[in-house]
Amino acid sequence: MGTIVEFKNVTKIFSSAYGTTKALDDVNLQINEGDIYGVIGMSGAGKSTLIRCINLLEKPTSGEVITDGDDLMTLSERQLREKRKHIGMIFQHFNLLMQKNVVDNVAFPLTAAGVPRKEARAKATELLEVVGLKEKVKSYPASLSGGQMQRVAIARALAQDPKILLCDEATSALDPETTASILNLLQKINREYNITIIIITHAMSVVRKVCSHVAILSDGKIVETGLVNEVFDNPKTEEGRLLISKAEESERREKEQKGV
Amino acid sequence: MWSQEVINMIIQGIGETLKMTVFSCLFGYLFGIPLGVILSTTDVNGLTPNKYVYKVLDFITNIVRSVPFLILLILLIPFTRALVGKSYGSTATIVPLTVAAIPFIGRMVESSLNEVDRGVIEAARSMGISNFKIITRVMLVETRVSLMTGITIAFGTILGYSAMAGTVGGGGLGDIAVRYGYYRYQTDIMIVTVVLLILLVQIFQTVGMRIAAKTDRRIK
């Protein structure tokens, strides 16, 4: 199993009229093929920026991002688009096309890439079966539940046979039961298609449930990495301990509020 | 009063008004869609922000929009004459109507396109789709309901402008209303033409909104 994503001294600085923010500060990270890798951090820690650097939706200010063998910073716009086709991505708010039905949403990355509609739809239907939404093929997203919409988004992300699947707070808008079923689906995809999955989240429970490895991000810096159990049960740094206790605290409060 | 002659004149007026409005709308959108697309995509929060392109187009659009239509019509007389050979009549009026419609339509297209969820555009980018295809296959498709609503608004506005053009020999129902109702004190003819104008706007508004609602997949 080789390395599939590698960050070398990645720094990302956002500048605005109000000053500059260092969203990522000299990040080094190595993710191996076949992993389910979690990146956890509080809001504002730079998680979203980090995951967007993997497919260069955000361009680092400095450093190298090596994804599936290529240093993305050296690719041309066209090469980068080609590369992105093999990196699926799902989002907190699903980001489906609201004017297209379910099957055309899943077929969209293919038809946009020039695959004939009939062929694209056949593949989309197959994928909808994988995510358990065969009966919703003709429905429109507006009529689906959050969990169903995320399943459509997952099927869509799989349409171009990716090697990597990026999950940006993909379960944060879902209730605990739906979250569990989506995480199960991600696990199944990881096993059956050998797709490396990278999950960005603020929820420890998500990392505990599916991830093999975890990195803790705090103020744009990776403060700890390792196997999930090792890091969570025995954090080595002060920041790690602080973050884990904070995350546990907020999860407890969330549970109490929901009356669980 | 209601001789065959008058009736024929009114029928011809309806035809001219429709001709001016439909063609101005068409040409207006021919140029207005690219204008709106460029305004929306070069905006700070757009697909490919470009401060200079945006500022220049924004400025020109505002200027043309600020000139009262009647003044624009007169200012454009040399241009109209150069383009169609004369400056009066319904065909010639299409020229200033189109010029007035382009920035107006451009603004509406811009505001429609700005409604597209940034997340959806980001998702499309993550799939490796080019900006051009994001515009044509995502933005213009996702906003089709809003664009359709825009068309009905544009139609009503241009129809109103075309009636205004009637006062300076532009032809159509507005021309009849002014010539008969105002200069000859034939109030009945004026009322009929005004009612016809109202009806035209109503019909297009209703049909347009119905098509918009029918094609919207966000409800149901």
Side-chain angles (χ1 to χ4, degrees):
Chain A
M1 291 281 178
T3 305
I4 193 156
V5 174
E6 191 174 5
F7 277 39
K8 283 185 186 164
N9 310 100
V10 171
T11 296
K12 170 73 185 181
I13 296 166
F14 288 107
S15 14
S16 70
Y18 308 104
T20 57
T21 341
K22 225 176 210 182
L24 293 178
D25 188 356
D26 197 25
V27 168
N28 287 288
L29 193 67
Q30 207 173 341
I31 297 170
N32 287 328
E33 219 175 330
D35 279 356
I36 301 187
Y37 202 105
V39 178
I40 191 165
M42 289 291 150
S43 52
K47 297 176 303 234
S48 293
T49 310
L50 188 144
I51 202 165
R52 279 166 180 72
C53 283
I54 299 174
N55 56 5
L56 234 60
L57 284 179
E58 290 287 0
K59 204 172 178 211
T61 312
S62 63
E64 278 173 49
V65 178
I66 299 153
T67 301
D68 193 21
D70 287 309
D71 181 354
L72 296 190
M73 305 276 276
T74 65
L75 298 184
S76 69
E77 189 60 34
R78 182 186 288 266
Q79 288 170 319
L80 183 61
R81 284 205 302 269
E82 206 49 48
K83 195 84 195 168
R84 282 186 183 140
K85 291 178 182 168
H86 307 292
I87 309 171
M89 191 168 187
I90 59 172
F91 304 86
Q92 179 172 7
H93 298 297
F94 325 123
N95 299 346
L96 299 178
L97 298 163
M98 300 307 278
Q99 301 289 3
K100 286 195 192 301
N101 67 18
V102 165
V103 71
D104 285 339
N105 258 284
V106 178
F108 182 68
L110 298 171
T111 52
V115 176
R117 189 169 293 266
K118 208 174 157 192
E119 203 178 302
R121 278 200 178 134
K123 172 127 196 212
T125 314
E126 243 171 70
L127 287 166
L128 283 164
E129 207 162 327
V130 172
V131 300
L133 276 181
K134 209 173 113 194
E135 72 285 3
K136 294 284 183 189
V137 169
K138 290 262 162 65
S139 304
Y140 283 89
S143 69
L144 301 181
S145 70
Q148 288 171 330
M149 282 205 247
Q150 197 58 291
R151 282 168 191 273
V152 176
I154 291 171
R156 181 176 70 174
L158 296 178
Q160 300 191 90
D161 301 315
K163 289 185 169 176
I164 305 168
L165 178 61
L166 308 176
C167 309
D168 181 24
E169 294 278 9
T171 56
S172 300
L174 305 174
D175 62 61
E177 260 173 62
T178 314
T179 296
S181 77
I182 292 292
L183 293 177
N184 283 336
L185 176 61
L186 291 178
Q187 254 172 338
K188 175 177 133 181
I189 287 163
N190 171 256
R191 270 197 313 264
E192 289 179 15
Y193 300 90
N194 192 32
I195 293 172
T196 308
I197 297 183
I198 299 162
I199 295 176
I200 293 292
T201 181
H202 65 275
M204 277 179 65
S205 56
V206 168
V207 176
R208 266 201 205 280
K209 186 165 185 329
V210 291
C211 295
S212 52
H213 295 73
V214 67
I216 297 178
L217 193 65
S218 174
D219 278 333
K221 290 191 184 75
I222 299 269
V223 294
E224 237 170 284
T225 57
L227 291 166
V228 171
N229 287 339
E230 282 174 18
V231 172
F232 279 1
D233 296 341
N234 196 7
K236 289 185 196 70
T237 62
E238 189 54 41
E239 288 104 323
R241 266 193 290 280
L242 195 71
L243 183 117
I244 286 165
S245 70
K246 264 195 205 160
E248 274 173 342
E249 174 64 25
S250 74
E251 262 172 35
R252 207 166 31 240
R253 234 178 296 134
E254 233 171 78
K255 269 186 193 159
E256 275 166 18
Q257 272 169 6
K258 282 174 185 155
V260 181
Chain B
M1 173 73 62
W2 293 106
S3 59
Q4 193 58 42
E5 206 180 326
V6 171
I7 294 172
N8 283 346
M9 175 182 74
I10 288 180
I11 290 173
Q12 198 196 340
I14 296 175
E16 281 176 2
T17 292
L18 281 177
K19 180 178 98 179
M20 285 189 283
T21 312
V22 168
F23 279 101
S24 304
C25 245
L26 248 127
F27 293 133
Y29 269 94
L30 195 66
F31 296 99
I33 288 180
L35 174 64
V37 164
I38 298 172
L39 280 170
S40 168
T41 49
T42 56
D43 187 86
V44 201
N45 301 314
L47 205 53
T48 52
N50 188 320
K51 227 183 350 196
Y52 301 103
V53 173
Y54 183 84
K55 276 197 175 148
V56 168
L57 285 179
D58 183 60
F59 185 67
I60 296 173
T61 304
N62 282 345
I63 287 191
V64 182
R65 292 255 287 138
S66 308
V67 180
F69 177 64
L70 270 181
I71 310 285
L72 189 73
L73 189 109
I74 293 159
L75 281 175
L76 284 173
I77 284 176
F79 177 66
T80 308
R81 197 172 284 143
L83 211 63
V84 291
K86 57 179 185 174
S87 64
Y88 55 87
S90 59
T91 307
T93 307
I94 292 174
V95 176
L97 274 176
T98 303
V99 172
I102 291 168
F104 170 67
I105 290 170
R107 279 292 181 215
M108 282 202 302
V109 171
E110 179 195 9
S111 103
S112 291
L113 294 182
N114 286 348
E115 286 169 23
V116 183
D117 189 341
R118 298 288 120 189
V120 173
I121 291 174
E122 189 175 45
R125 288 181 63 212
S126 81
M127 295 169 200
I129 296 172
S130 66
N131 284 344
F132 181 75
K133 275 191 176 164
I134 290 178
I135 293 164
T136 56
R137 308 274 311 257
V138 178
M139 297 173 76
L140 289 170
V141 177
E142 280 291 286
T143 53
R144 64 178 181 213
V145 176
S146 172
L147 289 170
M148 191 67 218
T149 311
I151 291 175
T152 66
I153 295 171
F155 192 91
T157 307
I158 294 170
L159 194 117
Y161 280 174
S162 84
M164 231 191 280
T167 58
V168 287
L173 288 173
D175 184 28
I176 296 169
V178 170
R179 271 194 289 136
Y180 286 78
Y182 188 70
Y183 294 125
R184 296 196 200 169
Y185 301 105
Q186 288 185 323
T187 318
D188 49 354
I189 292 185
M190 184 179 71
I191 289 173
V192 167
T193 54
V194 170
V195 167
L196 282 171
L197 284 169
I198 293 172
L199 274 177
L200 283 178
V201 172
Q202 284 293 335
I203 290 168
F204 275 90
Q205 184 77 20
T206 313
V207 171
M209 295 313 260
R210 219 169 260 179
I211 294 173
K214 262 241 163 85
T215 54
D216 193 359
R217 305 297 180 204
R218 287 170 301 182
I219 32 191
K220 269 180 230 178

